[in-house]
Amino acid sequence: MSAHGDVDLGHTLAGWTGTALATLGCAAAGAALCLGSAWAGALGAALLAAAALTTWLLHLAGWGKPSGPRPAAQWDWRVRDTAARAGHPDCLGCRMAGRRARALVVTPPAAGRAPVRA
């Protein structure tokens, strides 16, 4: 058992990569403020934009995680999300990419017929 108990903390390749790039971007922006350097400030802003874009693209490629808890077998950060191609329910990043997870709609069967999936 980990120090945080038996929970899914959401560690993913997309999350770690985005966090590393955002940390570098904040460090560059902070150094730019201390040095009064415009080019270092632009570098910091570019790294922050790259962090957001990289995290989003990795999420869409299946290296992120959907909202909510995952099964215990998928808690390791090296596990790829196979359902990402169809989109995650209630995920802003998936909606921005045009992916909409469709809920399974089952209509009640008519007399003597099997249920129909829409």
Side-chain angles (χ1 to χ4, degrees), residues 57-65 79-82 84-85 99:
L57 292 175
L58 284 172
H59 172 79
L60 294 176
W63 292 108
K65 81 175 218 62
V79 175
R80 193 169 187 172
D81 180 17
T82 57
R85 223 174 245 286
R99 297 178 181 177

Side-chain angles (χ1 to χ4, degrees), residues 32-96:
L33 283 174
C34 292
L35 298 173
S37 174
W39 68 267
L43 175 66
L47 281 171
L48 288 172
L53 182 64
T54 301
T55 303
W56 182 48
L57 292 175
L58 284 172
H59 172 79
L60 294 176
W63 292 108
K65 81 175 218 62
S67 299
R70 297 176 291 177
Q74 295 179 2
W75 286 2
D76 191 71
W77 66 274
R78 295 167 293 208
V79 175
R80 193 169 187 172
D81 180 17
T82 57
R85 223 174 245 286
H88 300 116
D90 300 325
C91 177
L92 175 64
C94 290
R95 285 196 313 265
M96 288 173 48

Side-chain angles (χ1 to χ4, degrees), residues 2 4 13 15 24 30 37 40 42 51 68 73 75 78 81 86-87 94 104 108 113 117:
S2 71
H4 299 287
L13 184 65
L24 289 173
S37 174
W75 286 2
R78 295 167 293 208
D81 180 17
C94 290
L104 180 62
R113 296 183 62 193
R117 290 185 178 186

